[in-house]
DNA sequence: CTGAAAGCGCTTACAG
DNA sequence: CTGAAAGCGCTTACAG
């Protein structure tokens, strides 16, 4: 293991070699104005020769700047604790880099209220942040906001769902189609020929349909690809209260009891509760997300599989990626699809978001 | 959001309040000798009042010290590429913190040769590192080494397998019993009553048996707990060449074809090859680790499930945990069990080690 | 036992 | 367009 030639190659050495002051070197390194083309070129050349890497710690110490990041995500509601996990991940990352000159502020919006999202966007824009981390739940509003960010050269990272045509530093989250496809694969193991499968979408907001439909597509694609003679039914439930879900399912089950139910989001616990309360046996259940209420049904066997995509890690990596970008670290992976995890009764204890 | 009272609370402010020089403050902060009890107490009190947190960037810049970490792991052999993943993870972490005054050196040993392990340990001890990251593959030798580390106040982090009674900063890796238990759970889904299951241990080194047996235990425990009338057979194969594996399995399959085979480590590809080359159908297969050769058989359907425990993340978090400890960050989780992931044909594309 | 000075590798005014 | 000085919050000799 040879050591690199570590002979004090800093801004000072560059200045010496270029026969200029360190102030001038600083100007070209930081691309500031007021340097003649000639000296700039000379300095640049020496920087290249030395393969100079700025000392980030010295830089942050001297500049006394704090990198300010805004995180915009849904508030944890009493309807679902899902967003606790990304929040926790962001906080975890924030505390790891707090000592390195980073501060993160949270902005929460109501998932059922676009206006709250828009309002928070306005506040963020006014507060002069250096970077934004967000879950672009409302597509149109998010596009608007991100256009504004782009205009101000404000870098942003997306988590949870992607907007592919936006110039994001990174997207960190699930590939929804593949996620549904995997559910289809599990279904193949659980269901025999000629049995019946029911897809259940539960969501109040039409804006979410995009998510759910992508998963449904993937699910159907898998079953279709394997040409199984499984009957696939489907129901959309626009009212998220348990009573509404129960009523709708009672009707359906009365006509025809499916052998397996696939719920396309974390509302799977409502279906589990329905099965349990009505003492319906022999129905297998697949759904989404590592939430307390879901885990309870996983434990007692009502839910067979939960699919989960590391919400906490989405938050953690989201903030870290943005930070790496802001300190101009070499490269940030632009597309970071989360693994598609299968949670069962036996491994849920070891699931780390 | 109120801002904390951020009024320049640094070493200078402490010195002013304590009416001493910053040199003295530095002495008590770093617990150096040569301070009277009285002034020490005074300074300590003010530090507490101010809730002073040292500026790590300034500290590293001034001290010009580089934190030196040694990583001791098995070499990637042509027998298995497994250790590529932890290596990659360690490198990933190293490059993220390189700018923050950390250097990591690798030391590799031969999994089939204890002496290489011991030799590397001696070299590491001679080289004056600040912290050690290691996979304590050979139990006895590792204990010896770690005793030496403890004597020198050298902190260490364990990955891949744990030595519970050692004063490690952290263990990051699988819980083997639970891992086998999960395999049992999957088996319940794949196998019907009165069918036959075969456990296969393939390993040349007796030292590994500990690993494999823990998994086997978990596997059996799960089946036992559910009181299924499944017949469970078992075979130990001490020779890892494909021919040896094939021969042994041919004998067994001749007597009795199992409905499912559980291979307790990454050698599952040998069994898959055996099934494929001999055109044996109707045998389901569960094994370990996200390796190229295994994935190939997963893709073509010979292997049904692979269990995997994020070897890359083990490396990444291992180094990061050690780093956090060395810069005396608040807390490092001592027991970091990796999630037990189930890899299938459909989700392997999204698996991130 | 304690203090004062120099310096880590940068950035930030300020002067020319 | 360029340079010289001061300073970021610490640590490291050195002097007393």
């Amino acid at each position: 293991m040879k050591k690199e030639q570590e002979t004090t190659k800093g801004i000072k050495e560059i200045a010496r070699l270029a026969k200029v002051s360190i102030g001038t070197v600083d100007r070209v390194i930081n691309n500031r104005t007021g340097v003649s083309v000639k000296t700039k070129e000379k300095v640049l050349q020496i920087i290249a020769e030395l393969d100079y890497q700025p000392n980030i710690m010295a830089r942050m110490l001297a500049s006394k700047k704090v990198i300010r990041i805004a995180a915009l995500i849904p508030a944890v509601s009493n309807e679902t604790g899902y967003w606790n996990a990304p929040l926790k991940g962001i906080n975890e990352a924030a505390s790891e880099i707090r000592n390195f000159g980073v501060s993160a502020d949270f902005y929460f919006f109501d998932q059922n209220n676009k206006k709250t999202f828009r309002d928070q966007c306005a506040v963020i824009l006014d507060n002069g942040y250096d970077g934004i981390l967000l879950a672009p739940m409302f597509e149109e509003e998010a596009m608007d906001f991100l256009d504004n960010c782009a205009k101000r050269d404000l870098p942003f990272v997306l988590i949870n769902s992607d907007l592919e045509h936006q110039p994001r530093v990174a997207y960190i989250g699930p590939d929804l189609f593949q996620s549904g496809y995997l559910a289809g694969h599990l279904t193949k193991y659980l269901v025999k020929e000629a049995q019946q499968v029911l897809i259940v979408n539960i969501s109040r907001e039409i804006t979410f349909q995009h998510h759910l439909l992508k998963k449904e597509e993937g699910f159907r694609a898998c079953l279709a690809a394997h040409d199984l003679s499984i009957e696939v039914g489907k129901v959309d439930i626009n009212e998220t209260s348990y009573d509404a879900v129960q009523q709708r399912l009672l009707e359906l089950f009365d006509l025809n009891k499916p052998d397996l139910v696939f719920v396309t989001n974390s509302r799977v616990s409502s279906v589990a509760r329905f099965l349990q309360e009505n003492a319906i046996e022999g129905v297998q259940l697949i759904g989404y997300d590592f939430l307390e209420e879901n885990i309870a049904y996983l434990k007692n066997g009502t839910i067979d599989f939960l699919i989960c995509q590391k919400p906490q890690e989405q938050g953690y990596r989201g903030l870290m990626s943005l930070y790496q970008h802001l300190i101009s670290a070499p490269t940030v992976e632009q597309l970071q699809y989360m693994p598609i995890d299968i949670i069962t009764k036996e491994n849920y204890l070891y699931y780390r978001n």
Side-chain angles (χ1 to χ4, degrees), chain A:
Chain A
M1 284 175 229
K2 260 183 285 178
K3 272 196 187 171
E4 304 264 332
Q5 188 192 339
E6 292 281 9
T7 40
T8 51
K9 53 177 180 184
I11 202 182
K12 226 154 80 183
E13 174 75 356
I14 298 170
R16 194 179 62 76
L17 292 171
K19 296 192 180 68
V20 295
S21 74
I22 60 165
T24 298
V25 175
D26 180 70
R27 284 181 190 98
V28 358
I29 286 173
N30 291 286
N31 216 6
R32 297 187 230 280
T33 57
V35 189
S36 73
V37 232
K38 207 167 164 181
T39 60
K40 181 166 181 174
E41 269 173 8
K42 186 164 46 167
V43 172
L44 244 24
Q45 192 200 324
I46 291 172
I47 285 176
E49 278 171 15
L50 258 47
D51 186 28
Y52 165 74
Q53 300 292 120
N55 182 319
I56 291 170
M57 298 191 293
R59 178 178 283 176
M60 305 212 69
L61 187 61
S63 75
K64 291 191 293 181
K65 263 188 206 144
V66 169
I67 294 178
R68 297 181 60 238
I69 293 177
L72 176 59
I73 58 174
V76 176
S77 67
N78 44 17
E79 280 185 14
T80 161
Y82 178 81
W83 283 94
N84 245 146
L87 176 61
K88 214 174 140 197
I90 297 170
N91 267 324
E92 187 191 350
S95 88
E96 270 185 27
I97 57 185
R98 197 186 324 280
N99 279 318
F100 299 101
V102 182
S103 87
D105 294 340
F106 284 99
Y107 292 84
F108 299 105
F109 62 91
D110 178 350
Q111 292 193 55
N112 294 320
N113 186 343
K114 295 185 180 191
K115 188 174 176 319
T116 60
F117 181 82
R118 207 161 24 211
D119 289 350
Q120 294 288 48
C121 287
V123 177
I124 290 172
L125 246 23
D126 276 352
N127 278 199
Y129 284 95
D130 300 302
I132 318 281
L133 174 66
L134 79 158
M137 201 117 280
F138 302 111
E139 196 166 339
E140 217 173 303
E141 284 72 14
M143 303 270 248
D144 241 51
F145 175 55
L146 297 179
D147 282 347
N148 274 313
C149 290
K151 265 179 213 150
R152 303 172 193 217
D153 272 325
L154 237 181
F156 52 87
V157 165
L158 266 32
I159 59 171
N160 196 251
S161 64
D162 198 9
L163 295 176
E164 293 170 18
H165 299 299
Q166 294 288 327
R168 62 243 188 298
V169 170
Y171 163 67
I172 294 137
D175 180 327
L176 298 164
F177 181 88
Q178 283 298 334
S179 176
Y181 202 94
L182 172 66
H185 183 62
L186 290 173
T187 298
K188 280 166 29 202
Y189 280 103
L190 301 177
V191 163
K192 296 182 190 68
E193 214 150 320
Q195 289 195 324
Q196 303 216 351
V197 166
L198 179 67
I199 300 172
V200 178
N201 294 320
I202 307 175
S203 169
R204 194 189 309 169
E205 276 287 328
I206 303 170
T207 39
F208 291 172
Q209 297 293 344
H210 172 77
H211 274 218
L212 307 187
L213 289 183
K214 277 254 169 168
K215 291 181 197 167
E216 185 182 329
E217 261 178 53
F219 185 77
R220 287 180 185 276
C222 177
L223 295 185
H226 294 82
D227 193 30
L228 303 173
S229 52
I230 294 173
E231 263 185 62
V232 180
K234 167 187 170 170
V235 57
D236 288 330
I237 305 179
N238 298 308
E239 182 59 61
T240 58
S241 77
Y242 172 66
D243 285 341
V245 171
Q246 170 167 246
Q247 196 186 324
R248 202 76 177 72
L249 290 179
L250 271 176
E251 293 166 23
L252 277 167
F253 274 59
D254 221 31
L255 288 168
N256 215 331
K257 195 182 86 172
D259 299 286
L260 182 144
V261 175
F262 171 50
V263 184
T264 54
N265 64 6
S266 61
R267 309 279 182 186
V268 60
S269 56
S270 296
V271 179
R273 184 176 159 194
F274 160 78
L275 292 175
Q276 189 171 293
E277 288 194 1
N278 294 279
I280 299 172
E281 306 241 316
V283 177
Q284 315 202 66
L285 190 52
I286 302 179
Y288 277 88
D289 294 335
F290 191 83
L291 301 175
E292 221 176 292
E293 53 269 36
N294 291 346
I295 296 303
Y297 289 110
L298 192 70
K299 260 162 126 171
N300 75 19
T302 312
I303 294 177
D304 291 89
F305 289 102
L306 284 173
I307 297 172
C308 191
Q309 307 214 231
K310 302 210 174 304
Q312 185 171 336
E313 192 172 339
Q314 287 179 36
Y316 179 87
R317 295 183 83 92
L319 188 59
M320 284 306 200
S321 296
L322 191 51
Y323 170 65
Q324 295 284 336
H325 174 81
L326 286 167
I327 63 171
S328 58
T331 41
V332 172
E333 202 75 43
Q334 202 190 241
L335 227 41
Q336 302 183 40
Y337 284 137
M338 288 290 102
I340 303 174
D341 293 325
I342 309 171
I343 315 297
T344 71
K345 208 169 163 177
E346 267 65 32
N347 72 341
Y348 76 92
L349 274 173
Y350 301 93
Y351 189 66
R352 240 201 24 250
N353 283 311

